[in-house]
Amino acid sequence: KDYKFFVPSDVKGHHATIEGELALKVLSQKEAQHFEDDAHGDKAKKIEGPVKEIAIAAIGLEMKKPG
C-alpha cells in the first residue's frame, strides 16, 4: 500500500497477471474533461457527464509476451 509503480506503454498484446484490489470511482464531468484534455490536447473529445473509472491498487504484476 502507498507504493506506486508504472507499466511500460509498449506492452500491448502481452498477457498480464495482476494481484491487488479493484475500486470503482465516479469522476465528475469537470475532472474527467481535465484528464481527457491532458491526454489528448486538441483532439480531446467532449465529456458529457460523470465517468466511471476502475482503479487497481496492485501489489504485484507479471507481464509475459504471448507465444
Side-chain angles (χ1 to χ4, degrees), residues 11-16 63-67:
V11 294
K12 183 177 181 177
H14 287 56
H15 297 275
M63 300 291 301
K64 291 183 180 179
K65 288 185 179 180

Side-chain angles (χ1 to χ4, degrees), residues 2-63:
D2 296 329
Y3 179 77
K4 295 182 180 184
F5 59 93
F6 297 92
V7 177
S9 60
D10 62 349
V11 294
K12 183 177 181 177
H14 287 56
H15 297 275
T17 302
I18 303 170
E19 182 178 348
E21 294 182 19
L22 293 176
L24 177 64
K25 180 179 178 183
V26 179
L27 303 175
S28 69
Q29 182 276 332
K30 185 176 180 180
E31 187 176 24
Q33 188 66 60
H34 174 76
F35 289 147
E36 177 70 14
D37 293 343
D38 280 354
H40 302 287
D42 293 340
K43 296 180 181 179
K45 64 181 179 181
K46 183 176 181 190
I47 304 297
E48 298 292 335
V51 174
K52 292 179 183 176
E53 175 185 75
I54 298 174
I56 302 171
I59 59 172
L61 169 66
E62 179 182 44
M63 300 291 301

